[in-house]
Amino acid sequence: MSDLSGIKIEKGRVGSNRRNASYAISGLIISAIAASALALDTPTTVYNMNDVKALGITAEYDSTNNFNAYRHISEFYRNAGEGTELHLMLVAQTVNLPTICETKGKILLAHAKGKIKQIAIAINLPDETVVVPLNGIPTEVYNAIPKAQGLYEWADSHFMYCQIILECYQHTGSAASSANLRELENLEADKVTLVNGQDFLYASTKTGNAQKFADVGTVLGVMAKANVNQNIGNNEIFDITDAVKGVWIEPGISSHKTNTELIEDLQTLEDKGYVFGVTYTGLAGVRINNDHVCAPIVIDADNKVNEHTIALGRTSDKARRELRSVYLPKVKTDWLLDETTGKLRPASIVALEDIGDKVFGDMIRNGEISYGKTTVDPQSDLIVEKELLVSYVIIPRGNIGEIKGTINFKTQV
């Protein structure tokens, strides 16, 4: 007897989502005073500027207290877009930058349950605070670099990988005398970025210490908007100027000097790994100069390269997150072994490698990497040690830092 329906095609079941993590989710810690609806040291989550204003963090809040808190958050949403998940916390002005990195950062990262992919720390100093420089930057900023890297190491140990942005406020002195963030002694802070650039015209509306701030909210917003493989200074995509709103018309440095005043210093600051806004002749608007971290470029004898840019660090973090999510369900599962060697059978090795290769396949299709390969060690001991030994290799996307060429007139080709 036949079924009069003729043909039945049922919907297949969809497995676990391999693209469930949002890499725009960010964190922001600001030293300030309590807002009307947000106490100090209280993590909260916002999704747009209406949420932020409901907390009592408004333009008036900034104006009354000579702060840049509303500024940082509004810049984040101007670049990242409304609807982006932002985990926010205010801390007391008496808490310095190294201490925020050591203690407060852990509170916010734990609150977000590992969802934060990039976190920025901004400082609002009381007007009476005297800033003591060290190698051209505030002593507390200099001392915060290893603490910020330590925050990453703590986050890494809890599988909450993230990039960390520090506000390099009140950059003083010449570029030549400034610390070289690419050559810090006994320190490779490859997850830490120092932002010393500011929107000069906006900063001119402030006074005292608030005037010598750095626009970490802008950089955090661009980073949230960017794909993990993209340089936040991408000239084609990330123009941070809004001529209608009068934002980022004139770039400057946190010394409260314009780029024009410091034109001879900008290349040195670039070479030393600082992040700021730049303009290019023939290209309208302002871009971020580059995606620096506080680490040198390292290539070892096996051609392995360190995470010497934000893009490399974010790409690596995404791969690690995604690989962990797909392999975690396989922990404590059992596999058929070869009856002679007691090791994994070839078919099992292929199946286990395929799990990681699917992650890399997704990242290649998303335009995030050029190549990725998973290799399972056939000598893995699943009887006594019960360890699956796996190695991964990634070839990242390339990035054009500059274009060099020559041009000549000729009478004929």
Side-chain angles (χ1 to χ4, degrees):
M1 183 180 293
S2 63
D3 191 320
L4 296 179
S5 300
I7 297 175
K8 287 183 178 180
I9 301 176
E10 298 180 352
K11 290 184 178 180
R13 292 185 179 182
V14 178
S16 61
N17 188 356
R18 300 206 311 269
R19 301 183 63 187
N20 60 351
S22 171
Y23 288 83
I25 297 175
S26 304
L28 178 59
I29 299 175
I30 307 173
S31 71
I33 62 172
S36 59
L38 182 61
L40 296 178
D41 298 327
T42 306
T44 190
T45 308
V46 295
Y47 295 89
N48 52 55
M49 288 308 297
N50 286 334
D51 291 347
V52 175
K53 292 173 184 176
L55 296 172
I57 303 174
T58 62
E60 291 72 27
Y61 170 85
D62 270 11
S63 178
T64 300
N65 298 291
N66 199 28
F67 284 169
N68 295 304
Y70 179 82
R71 163 71 182 193
H72 289 305
I73 304 171
S74 62
E75 274 295 281
F76 171 79
Y77 277 113
R78 185 178 70 86
N79 288 282
E82 297 279 307
T84 305
E85 186 174 331
L86 176 66
H87 296 267
L88 175 67
M89 186 167 71
L90 301 180
V91 301
Q93 288 178 281
T94 54
V95 185
N96 63 29
L97 191 53
T99 303
I100 293 174
C101 293
E102 269 193 308
T103 62
K104 307 299 183 179
K106 296 176 183 178
I107 295 172
L108 189 63
L109 291 172
H111 159 79
K113 296 179 173 61
K115 293 197 293 181
I116 290 173
K117 311 306 189 300
Q118 45 275 325
I119 183 172
I121 303 175
I123 300 297
N124 286 293
L125 295 174
D127 283 335
E128 64 272 14
T129 301
V130 176
V131 175
V132 179
L134 176 62
N135 297 328
I137 63 179
T139 299
E140 290 187 354
V141 173
Y142 192 88
N143 291 339
I145 298 172
K147 300 298 184 182
Q149 185 68 16
L151 175 60
Y152 173 79
E153 301 298 339
W154 176 86
D156 179 87
S157 70
H158 291 83
F159 313 106
M160 299 188 292
Y161 326 112
C162 62
Q163 295 292 138
I164 301 170
I165 304 169
L166 301 181
E167 180 182 355
C168 184
Y169 54 88
Q170 297 204 28
H171 193 152
T172 59
S174 68
S177 64
S178 296
N180 188 336
L181 304 178
R182 290 292 192 177
E183 296 180 0
L184 294 172
E185 188 175 356
N186 300 320
L187 178 63
E188 186 175 329
D190 57 5
K191 290 296 180 179
V192 183
T193 294
L194 258 60
V195 176
N196 70 335
Q198 67 168 215
D199 177 344
F200 180 83
L201 297 182
Y202 165 79
S204 297
T205 67
K206 313 300 288 186
T207 60
N209 287 330
Q211 189 174 76
K212 296 183 177 182
F213 87 114
D215 261 309
V216 294
T218 304
V219 176
L220 183 66
V222 173
M223 196 180 298
K225 182 179 181 180
N227 293 337
V228 295
N229 60 287
Q230 288 180 322
N231 187 324
I232 57 173
N234 187 311
N235 281 5
E236 198 168 39
I237 302 173
F238 303 126
D239 179 2
I240 59 175
T241 297
D242 188 327
V244 175
K245 294 181 179 179
V247 180
W248 276 102
I249 304 298
E250 183 75 58
I253 301 300
S254 61
S255 58
H256 194 53
K257 293 183 179 180
T258 65
N259 282 15
T260 303
E261 294 177 80
L262 299 169
I263 191 166
E264 297 296 333
D265 279 353
L266 296 182
Q267 185 59 55
T268 300
L269 292 175
E270 157 71 20
D271 295 341
K272 290 187 172 184
Y274 295 88
V275 172
F276 49 91
V278 293
T279 56
Y280 296 94
T281 302
L283 187 64
V286 176
R287 273 75 177 172
I288 296 171
N289 65 311
N290 221 324
D291 66 341
H292 293 300
V293 295
C294 300
I297 299 173
V298 178
I299 304 174
D300 72 8
D302 296 321
N303 292 316
K304 292 181 290 187
V305 63
N306 67 330
E307 297 173 19
H308 60 269
T309 68
I310 293 170
L312 288 174
R314 295 183 77 211
T315 300
S316 172
D317 284 351
K318 177 170 184 178
R320 293 174 70 199
R321 281 178 180 270
E322 299 299 312
L323 289 167
R324 175 177 165 78
S325 70
V326 296
Y327 277 106
L328 197 56
K330 300 303 177 186
V331 173
K332 298 183 180 68
T333 58
D334 56 272
W335 294 78
L336 192 64
L337 303 179
D338 184 274
E339 66 273 16
T340 303
T341 64
K343 304 298 183 181
L344 280 167
R345 292 187 171 188
S348 297
I349 291 174
V350 170
L352 288 164
E353 289 179 340
D354 188 55
I355 295 169
D357 287 344
K358 285 180 179 177
V359 168
F360 294 137
D362 286 342
M363 294 184 73
I364 292 170
R365 284 186 288 274
N366 292 340
E368 295 164 338
I369 61 174
S370 299
Y371 172 82
K373 184 71 182 78
T374 306
T375 302
V376 169
D377 187 340
Q379 297 304 310
S380 297
D381 181 359
L382 272 59
I383 298 176
V384 178
E385 297 297 332
K386 297 179 174 60
E387 286 183 340
L388 181 70
L389 305 177
V390 191
S391 61
Y392 308 96
V393 173
I394 295 175
I395 296 179
R397 298 270 291 191
N399 185 271
I400 299 174
E402 62 177 323
I403 297 175
K404 291 183 177 180
T406 58
I407 185 169
N408 294 288
F409 288 110
K410 295 187 71 175
T411 58
Q412 61 183 10
V413 178

